[in-house]
Amino acid sequence: MKAIVKNILLSLSVTAVVGFTAKAQNKEAGATEKDFYRIVTLPIPEGVELEVGGLALLPNGDMAASTRRGDVYIIENPYMLNGTTPYYRKFATGMHELLGLAYKDGALYAVQRGELTKLVDKNGDGKADVYETVFAWPLTGNYHEYSYGPVVMPNGNFMVNANVGFDGFEWWRGKSHVPWRAWTMEITPDGKMMPFATGLRSPAGQGLIDGKYFYSENQGDWVGSGHMMQLNKGDFAGHPAGLNWAARPESPVKARTQDIYSRVDPRFNQGKIEDDDPNRPYKTFFEVAKEVPGMKLPTVWLPHSILGTSTSSMIQIPNDDRFGPFAGQVIIGDQGQSRLNRVYLEQVKGEYQGAAFTFREGFESGVLRLAWGNDGSLFVGQTNRGWGSKGQKDFGLERVVWSKRTPFEMKAVKAMPDGFEIEFTKPVNKKAAADPDAYAITGFIYKYHPVYGSNTVREQQHVVNAAIVSADGTKVRLVVDGLREKYVHEITLDDKIVSADSAAKVLHSVAYYTLNNIPEGAKLNVPKRTPKMGMAGHDHMNMGKPTTTPAKASTAKTPAGTGLKKNQTTKPASWTTIDQTITLGTKPGLKYDKSELTVKAGSKIKLTFSNNDDMPHNFVVVPDGQAVAVGELAMKLGLSSVKLSHIPNTPKVLYNTTLVGPGGSQTIYFEAPSKPGKYTYVCTVPGHFYVMQGTLIVN
């Protein structure tokens, strides 16, 4: 009898464990970002326009925030302890667009458009009564002359970055009309300025990583995609505008303007500049850098539209376990897509390089500034006025808090002499992870030219010859054919790669590794192989991504069955007349210059879309209410996105232009919908489509 009871109890115990394990597996299998990293929104009092331009942690745990409107607030109780609300105290006011803030030795230091300002509360009343100019630099009044910083260096000096300006006939071309636009300036506490480096375009983020100075760059002219770069004194970061001042005696930069223009045609006085000739010769960033003294390569590229559109602040994760399993890595923001990415860095042959991953999306406005709280949570300051963002609020302040649950992620990707090694946060299912066809690797790079941004070029799919799993299941070494130095490598994991404990899929299954140098060392002796036909790994460009077939997006016929293409750029031979001619332009701040267009049902329309902005846009007509859905499909196009003008292949696209660069235009012909009502026209560039919309009224 005792034996029977014992067996019953054992059976119940096993059943309970199995049931618990199944629930745990289900819980992990369906987990999303918010299950591991929670976003906590700080309430902001009515009347406080907290367009965050800078954040700084104070010694007592309070958080200081500067705003684009020129104010500084001290936020008491920012952690909202015991359910209480934070208190906002205005510390300073009346300054000019504060896009950075730092605390040092009992004072706050703010970067205005034209100066580094020291703010001191001398009488202890909680308000600054000293506004001291530490150092001032020239301004022309150009709208784009933003200034960022400061970063406090280990030697106590401050690093400040200055944007290029845009004006004149070629208004999309970045210019440096006054010293030290497009430069990093090192400023001592007593006000001495030493030019540090140049080649910057729109350097909205900067930070210290391992005690070294890094900055982040935004896509634009001469910048194929956003990236982060480690800068040393005398470096040239690639944009030629700042070289105007490189010959001055105080400049440490050896590169000169002619070093660039003699190698890459700047294409002056041509009006419209676009990358519209597939036969035009081009060079890459690294090819020019081989020949130009002090020209520095990006540390890590952040592929445009995939990992963001407007790279912003970076911050190193502390070397403790309060923010999860990624201690020592880097969090980097994106203003346009309201998101955080994660970067793993390593040094190979004395240079930094590494891998970038998606980390956390879903912030309420554009992510601009980051700061650690004294509890190990990450404060995220946000704004979108004039810049637009996926998050629809004008501004916001939120915290990211680790839930104490470890996500199943690629913790790191490391370069090896013959491929890569992926380290996971948890052991993998060894059988699945040992299949080379479970991995896809595509190498690519960008053009270096005066055009805004770049398509990906020189794409090459690499064969994975072996996937060797470590004994503890936490690492997989990939032996890969034909890897190229200086190229970015997209590394995609198939859904079959799951954790050993709960069969959870990798939360973010794509990494982008910038391989500036291949390390020395022994290579593994494995036979070469051919990927199995029909395996997921055979389709390297689409593996692990939502399936779309975008290549025909601009040539498909319209739903009306008229024989016209969606992107009909020539007048149809059957048209004897044009019923209506429309011109449409753009305005700064992600806006069309007309919020409404009215046409007659079934009428023949000629529309010319002219882009007067300093970034590319398109014009896409979709059914009412479908703009965001189509835009989100465009965000899933991956590396092909720019080549396809960010237009997905979906019947929801009725008519469209292709991507039109700054100063460019395109004319299309279409027949208005036969059904009266409201339709939407939208720019489907990632991040733009949330705000850049208009209404097409069909009568």
Side-chain angles (χ1 to χ4, degrees), residues 579-590:
D579 298 322
Q580 188 173 352
T581 299
I582 298 173
T583 59
L584 181 69
T586 59
K587 297 193 299 185
L590 301 183

Side-chain angles (χ1 to χ4, degrees), residues 13 185 221 233 242 248 270-271 280 362 398 415 444 455 491 505 539 565 588:
S13 175
M185 297 172 276
D221 55 319
K233 191 167 187 176
R248 290 176 64 139
Q270 295 185 20
R280 178 184 288 274
E398 296 180 292
F444 63 93
N455 296 336
I491 304 169
K505 296 178 183 178
D539 185 4
K565 299 175 182 178

Side-chain angles (χ1 to χ4, degrees), residues 77-94:
N77 186 32
Y79 313 98
M80 299 187 290
L81 300 176
N82 300 317
T84 56
T85 57
Y87 177 74
Y88 292 73
R89 168 167 50 89
K90 187 177 285 189
F91 179 76
T93 191

Side-chain angles (χ1 to χ4, degrees), residues 658-690:
T658 54
L659 200 61
V660 177
S665 66
Q666 187 177 84
T667 297
I668 62 171
Y669 301 81
F670 63 91
E671 290 186 3
S674 58
K675 182 180 179 180
K678 291 184 178 180
Y679 298 77
T680 301
Y681 53 93
V682 58
C683 174
T684 57
V685 171
H688 296 194
F689 57 85
Y690 294 100

Side-chain angles (χ1 to χ4, degrees), residues 16 83 135 139 191 210 259 275 280 288 310 343 387 405 427 434 447 455 464 468 477 487 492 532 540 545 553 562 564:
F135 179 78
L139 291 171
D210 299 335
D259 289 332
D275 189 15
R280 178 184 288 274
V288 177
S310 305
V343 175
W387 296 334
R405 291 174 59 188
K447 297 179 182 180
N455 296 336
V464 178
I468 302 167
R477 182 164 176 176
Y487 284 75
T492 307
K532 297 175 184 176
H540 291 253
K545 302 172 186 172
T562 59
L564 303 186

